[in-house]
Amino acid sequence: MRQELQSLPKGLAEDVARNLVMVANLIDEDPEQAYAYSRVALRLASRVAAVREAAGFAAYATQKYSEALAEFRAARRMTGSVELWPVMADCERGLGRPERALAMAGEAEVQKLDKAGQVEMRLVAAGARRDMGQLEAAIVTLQSPELASSSVQPWTARLRYAYADALLAAGREDEAREWFAKALEADKDGATDASDRLAEMDGVEFTDAMDDSDEDDHHDLGARHQDAEDDDAEDDDAEDDDAEHDGAASADADLTDEPSGDDDAPAKSAE
């Protein structure tokens, strides 16, 4: 990517690079925001293959499959690379065209992929089979030397997980449980929820530390406490009112007892 950006003016290259970094940083946690940054980079440098690829992945992460496919195709035309072939096929699945994904799985480009790419293509093909209701065919598609291997590779957990999930969908629960366990064994980075699936199969239920009834009790206690404070405040106000009333009455009495200076003066008669 750095070499591609070197062909751009320095300031423009820096702007594009910043946006691409933001795409990479946000695509997992905030795909919509990553997509927004990718659109900025695309407006700045649409003729850079790395920009088209980043825009494709951002669109893919937000399930804009038609847009993603167009960007991946553009990047492939610019580079001549086949590494995007599996994700392009998965975009076809996302667009509701699993038969096209299967056709792509049989193309010569697959043979040019590295091992990770070939495993990814197998996962996409199995998914396409399931989309078409061909569950047993999906299971067979996933059966491969990579699945049978005892060595753990970056793709091992996902491949075992997909196989377990397909087995479970086919009603082969014992085998599914075995392969979920194998997936969990290989999943050092938490890429799958194999542990949750195993717990679910074992009937383990997870509950919050504070359930709804505890929360209601907590709210009731808080309400009672607030009511008590309100009552105390009302009592204080009543005492203040009584004090003010007593003070006013005393003042009135003092004024009544004190003789007025006008009492000794003769009243003027009306003339």
Side-chain angles (χ1 to χ4, degrees), residues 52-70:
R52 303 302 290 265
E53 182 175 330
F57 277 110
Y60 178 81
T62 53
Q63 299 182 6
K64 298 176 176 66
Y65 297 117
S66 180
E67 187 176 323
L69 185 57

Side-chain angles (χ1 to χ4, degrees), residues 26-46:
L26 293 170
I27 197 164
D28 291 328
E29 297 181 1
D30 191 348
E32 288 291 347
Q33 191 65 28
Y35 175 78
Y37 279 106
S38 77
R39 301 307 296 175
V40 175
L42 197 59
R43 287 196 297 271
L44 295 173
S46 62

Side-chain angles (χ1 to χ4, degrees), residues 6 8 51 54 132 161 262:
Q6 286 177 349
L8 301 174
V51 171
M132 299 170 68
Y161 182 93
D262 293 339

Side-chain angles (χ1 to χ4, degrees), residues 115 119 122 139-153 155-161 163-164 167 178-179 182-183 185-186:
K115 181 61 68 177
V119 170
R122 189 177 292 277
I139 292 173
V140 172
T141 299
L142 293 168
Q143 292 170 347
S144 61
E146 293 81 16
L147 180 67
S149 175
S150 59
S151 66
V152 175
Q153 302 295 335
W155 60 79
T156 302
R158 291 179 58 235
L159 183 60
R160 292 177 179 178
Y161 182 93
Y163 188 59
L167 289 169
E178 175 187 351
W179 282 98
K182 289 182 178 181
E185 180 182 324

